């Protein structure tokens, strides 16, 4: 239980406290409001509606949002900085089916210049990549010259990257001009040279005489080996292919995993080569593994949950703001969409919060990672249970109805025993064609967190005046929310005011949010926010002392009677949309105010005579009682007292802002220039 000061006068006269209970129709929170009518308490309305809170959907495929983001991310530049950048933009548009309106004469001109000259292997490789998309007018002789150069480079390269560019370039020439001879005679020797760079844990080295290895290099090596197999004049020894497949399995043995079932690769070394983040590293492996699987017979023995987990990892990133990250995400999903190991099927829910009051439908959709239609299937709800009672199922084995028009699998209505709370729904994808099980990865049983909202009733509301010394109850008023009763209370500055209430779900169970806040707003617009304690049976807060809202000073420094009335009192459940948004805005404003005050003060400390003043004593009491005041107030300075400006110490800026604000207010300082 938290308690803090709110207006109790310094003289024994009735406290004008006005409360009114209202119903919210626009948020998931509830409040008690006081319009400022004097000398009595009025409460009405019996229940408060918790409306639907739109949380992020559970999983998702590539959507129209990605297409819009791609246009904004790649289209604005008049000309790409490099051919690599140009290729990545073109490839993203190609995968997402975006048609560009602008022409690419300048890009094609750059492509022709790089293909016809002795460009670096990297520039030559990306010039061929871009040409594969734009189909620039390249002379056949240019392709022949490129093939001759690259066939020589393959055999003399000393780094994995040079081999990657050379082999990849030959594959691109083969795809763009079938009349050019790109066949490699001594493939076994090159294959063995690349294989010599592999390590026992599935990693690969970048350079032949350097022992440093990486996962990113493994992707380059696998893609290079796949290219060699497609360029070979004769079939590669199957035993060598099987060894590489075993290397892939070893590589996946070291894959990392998130709690949500996402899998990814991450580098654990810092060597002489560029350090790659998990996204680029995982993308490299996906390119290499899918390319190698595409040119070899038989399947690579990788668990389908890891392939599905890779898709979840890329989708879980959302919409990247960086062009390189966007390309890696979309291209990797495209490879997973058509790979020969197993194609991930993504189960997604557009909403994971449902309202008992609105009686909405639970909808599930199954697509591929890029949003293509899934094969014929059924979605079953295997089981659902409350997070607080895992052994007690609320739903057992229910098949969802398929709506062909919308493409959703639908649970028409929740059962009557479903109450407000958090649940886990377990779904299973059942493919109709048994042959599809060898092609698609469904992920087995899929656990989805679901939140259910509904009407929360507020009952047993009491306002009690407590004796200040003994804490015994002097006056207790039980409020009937169903009626419109008026209750009159009075208290002096030695007494305490206790406000308590209970919350109940539609099925009559106790509703226990993570936190509840109690907000007081004075007619001068000063706001006080307190955390309301939960004793297990009820919520309650004890108001013990007068916050200084509007007062007059006397010569001896004593405070006069508080002038003005409380305007609003609110109770808000933590995590609810409207109140949480308001508190977040306050937090942002506080941080901005902190920065401004720090700038003005410049770290200076004011030395004054009365450092142990009543102001500091009051602040210390605030800290001990856990109360915090948020907001600003304006009133003319009536008196000045020499006190010490507190120095900022510790991790909590809110208390310091509160104390600094009191210091300036007590000194009658309102303008920023004066504070400085």
């Amino acid at each position: 239980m938290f308690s803090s000061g709110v207006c109790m006068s310094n003289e024994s006269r009735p406290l004008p406290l006005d409360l009114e209970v209202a119903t919210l129709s626009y948020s998931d929170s509830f409040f008690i409001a006081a319009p400022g009518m004097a000398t009595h308490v009025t409460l009405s309305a019996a229940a408060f509606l918790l409306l639907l809170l739109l949380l992020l959907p559970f999983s998702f495929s590539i959507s129209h949002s990605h297409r819009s983001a791609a246009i904004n991310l790649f289209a604005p530049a008049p000309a790409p900085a490099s051919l690599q950048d140009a290729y990545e933009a073109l490839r993203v548009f190609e995968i997402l089916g975006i048609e560009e309106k602008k022409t690419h004469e300048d890009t094609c001109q750059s492509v022709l210049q790089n293909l016809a000259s002795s460009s670096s292997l990297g520039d030559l490789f990306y010039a061929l990549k871009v040409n594969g998309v734009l189909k620039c007018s390249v002379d056949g002789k240019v392709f022949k010259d490129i093939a001759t150069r690259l066939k020589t480079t393959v055999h003399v390269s000393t780094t994995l990257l040079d081999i990657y560019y050379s082999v990849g370039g030959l594959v691109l020439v083969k795809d763009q001009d079938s009349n050019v001879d790109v066949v490699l005679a001594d493939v076994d020797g090159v294959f063995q040279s690349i294989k010599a760079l592999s390590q026992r844990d599935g990693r690969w080295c970048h350079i032949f005489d350097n022992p440093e290895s990486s996962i990113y290099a493994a992707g380059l090596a696998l893609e290079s080996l796949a290219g060699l197999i497609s360029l070979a004049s004769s079939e590669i020894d199957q035993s060598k292919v099987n060894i590489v497949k075993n290397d892939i399995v070893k590589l996946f043995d070291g894959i990392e995993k998130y709690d949500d079932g996402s899998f990814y690769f991450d580098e654990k070394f810092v060597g002489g080569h560029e350090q790659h983040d998990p996204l680029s590293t995982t993308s490299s492996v996906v390119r290499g593994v899918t390319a190698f699987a595409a040119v070899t017979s038989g399947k690579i023995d990788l668990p389908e949950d890891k392939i599905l987990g890779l898709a979840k990892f890329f989708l879980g990133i959302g919409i990247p703001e960086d062009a390189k990250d966007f390309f890696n995400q979309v291209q990797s999903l495209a490879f997973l969409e058509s790979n020969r190991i197993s194609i991930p099927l993504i189960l997604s829910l557009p909403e994971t919060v449902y309202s008992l009051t609105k009686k909405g439908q639970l909808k599930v959709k199954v697509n591929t990672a890029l949003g293509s239609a899934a094969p014929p299937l059924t979605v079953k709800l295997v089981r659902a249970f409350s997070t607080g009672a895992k052994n007690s199922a609320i739903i057992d084995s229910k098949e969802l109805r398929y709506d062909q028009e919308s493409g959703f699998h639908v649970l028409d209505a929740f059962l009557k025993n479903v109450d407000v709370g958090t649940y886990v729904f377990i779904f299973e994808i059942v493919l109709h064609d048994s042959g599809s099980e060898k092609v698609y990865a469904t992920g087995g049983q899929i656990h989805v967190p679901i939140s259910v909202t509904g009407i929360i009733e507020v009952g047993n509301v009491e306002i009690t005046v407590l004796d200040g010394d003994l804490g015994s109850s002097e006056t207790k008023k039980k409020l009937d929310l169903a009626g419109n009763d008026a209750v009159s209370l009075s208290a002096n500055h030695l007494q305490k005011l206790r406000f308590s209430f209970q919350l109940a779900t539609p099925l009559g169970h106790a509703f226990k949010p993570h936190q509840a806040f109690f907000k007081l707003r004075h007619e001068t617009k000063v706001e006080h926010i307190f955390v309301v304690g939960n004793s297990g049976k009820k919520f309650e807060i004890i108001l013990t002392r007068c916050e200084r809202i509007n007062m007059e000073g006397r010569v001896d420094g004593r405070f006069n009677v508080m002038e003005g009335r409380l305007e609003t009192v609110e109770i808000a459940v933590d995590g609810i949309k409207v109140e949480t948004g308001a508190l977040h805005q306050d937090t942002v404003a506080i941080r901005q105010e902190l920065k401004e005050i720090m700038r003005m003060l410049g770290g200076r400390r004011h030395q004054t005579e009365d450092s142990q003043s009543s102001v500091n004593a009051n602040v210390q009491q605030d800290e001990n009682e856990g109360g915090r005041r948020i907001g600003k107030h304006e009133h003319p300075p009536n008196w000045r007292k020499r006190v010490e400006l507190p120095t900022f110490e510790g991790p909590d800026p809110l208390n310091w802002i509160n104390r600094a604000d009191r210091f300036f207010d007590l000194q009658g300082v309102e303008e920023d220039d004066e504070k400085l």
Side-chain angles (χ1 to χ4, degrees), residues 207-227:
I207 305 174
F208 289 103
D209 57 355
N210 192 325
E212 291 181 350
S213 61
S214 75
I215 298 174
Y216 184 87
L220 300 181
L222 293 172
E223 203 171 348
S224 300
L225 292 174

Side-chain angles (χ1 to χ4, degrees), residues 143-155:
F143 281 127
K144 290 181 180 179
D145 292 341
I146 292 172
T148 300
R149 175 189 173 188
L150 294 180
K151 288 167 73 173
T152 302
T153 307
V154 166
H155 294 282

Side-chain angles (χ1 to χ4, degrees), residues 28-31 50 456 501 503 511-518 539 570-580 583:
D28 292 348
S29 62
F30 45 86
F31 67 87
L50 295 182
I456 299 299
F501 59 92
L503 305 177
F511 180 67
K512 298 179 181 179
H514 291 148
Q515 277 187 320
F517 293 95
F518 187 78
F539 294 87
E570 295 184 6
I571 301 174
V573 176
D574 182 33
I576 303 306
K577 186 175 183 180
V578 172
E579 290 299 325
T580 301
L583 291 175

